Amino acid sequence: PQWSTPDPLFSGSYDELYSRIATGQPAASETADTVGSVDDGLQAAAQVLQARYEFPFQSHACMGPGCGVADVGEDSATVWMGGQKPYSLRRAVAKLLGLKPGRVRVVWVAGPGSYGMNDADDAAMDAAFLSSRVRRPVRVQYSRAEGTAWDPKGPPLVVTMRGGLSAAGEVTAFDYEARGYSGRLRASSTEEPGDSLLGQMLGGWKAKSTNRFQFSTETYRFPAKRLTSHLLPWSQALPTGLRTAHLRDPDGMATCFASECFVDELAAAAHVDPVEFRLRFLGDKRDRDIVSAAAKRAGWEPRASPNPSPGQTSIRRGRGIAYAPRNGTTVGLVTEVAVDITTGRVQVERFVVAHDCGFVVNPGSLQGTIEANLIQGMSRALHEAVRFDSTRVTSTDWLTYPILDMTEVPRAIEIEVINNLPERPSTGAGEPATRPIAASIGNAVFDAIGVRLRRIPFTPETILAEIKKSNSA
């Protein structure tokens, strides 16, 4: 066969991708939480700060690839699947095969878990389609490379932050502008055949895509504040390995990374302790309490950042804080890091978490859930970014998509639970502790070496490049 050369589908690199996102024409925009006039606040400021934060495609990279088994007859079908939502898959299989939903049985079996849709539904849909053609039971087992390359990806995001400070160090304006792709182009369940890779490849099926705008969720009471989110069209998303979907705490880590790192930048420019700065402007009592509780448990000593530690070795230590509310739960996180300025390696030494999710039914389960959030989130902050060239995804395993390993686990994770009272409704803990991790680590690195990291992941190469740039400046 003589194969044609495909047209480029993607940007060739993250530099190119982020540039395209930052300058592309939005398909939809939304503004929220507007207070006062941001333009007037910036105009009146004695000092104006601006920074751009960049967050990559990230993968579910599950412990095992997807597998589906189907036995399709003339007027009925049985499908075995290991995904999250067998009821919606049942509807999609029925539509694909032209059967009534009552004639389709989906049997759930334990598979590699994920927060958000992985490739399990795709394998099951493939199996159902193939079995309907050969009238035999069919098992579809993806390879590691297929599962990692083709699973739905958390979307990339570029956030431009602007802020104004008065001569007295008070915030005069806070402007948040996010640009990216909706994380629900691949729906949060398989409702339609078009939500699967199979449906996209067959053509004629539409996905149940929706817009998911990407806003930060802090409660800072600045005199002028504006949050804007732009969603760009992403026609390549659905039939390729870069289809965007929800990943643990959808968009939360990315939006908090930009917002909480920039608040830290404002505090540093005002020469104010980061905890004191947050408490000065936070409008919600629960949020102030959570920041105070995290700082107290960590033994936080008030001072401005950065504060590079002197010494004869190449190791510099620092601490950082970030906080985030999520769906009624609020988390404050203090991170202590050691940065080797000769290698660029970051070692997270200690996490201190203040966690308010209302009444806790099972304390042991809560502790394990928070620890799992922190370790997975730490992996995403330090290592994870889906690699690609102009035609395909090149992250196909844990060498090309590296994750955290046991040598990097912090020596201590301390958890302070507050408002654990029977009269307080339980508000959930499955995802909130993921949200502030990247910001807290980034702020700790700045405290340690005086260099701002504005692109995830914080790889040694990125840190060395930023140190070199800072030294040159």
Side-chain angles (χ1 to χ4, degrees), residues 344-361:
R345 184 173 183 269
V346 176
Q347 175 67 54
V348 174
E349 297 189 320
R350 182 187 181 209
F351 281 131
V352 179
V353 188
H355 200 280
D356 179 358
C357 58
F359 184 50
V360 178
V361 178

Side-chain angles (χ1 to χ4, degrees), residues 306-320:
N307 186 43
S309 55
Q312 301 300 315
T313 72
S314 62
I315 304 300
R316 303 288 185 268
R317 286 183 164 79
R319 87 281 169 88

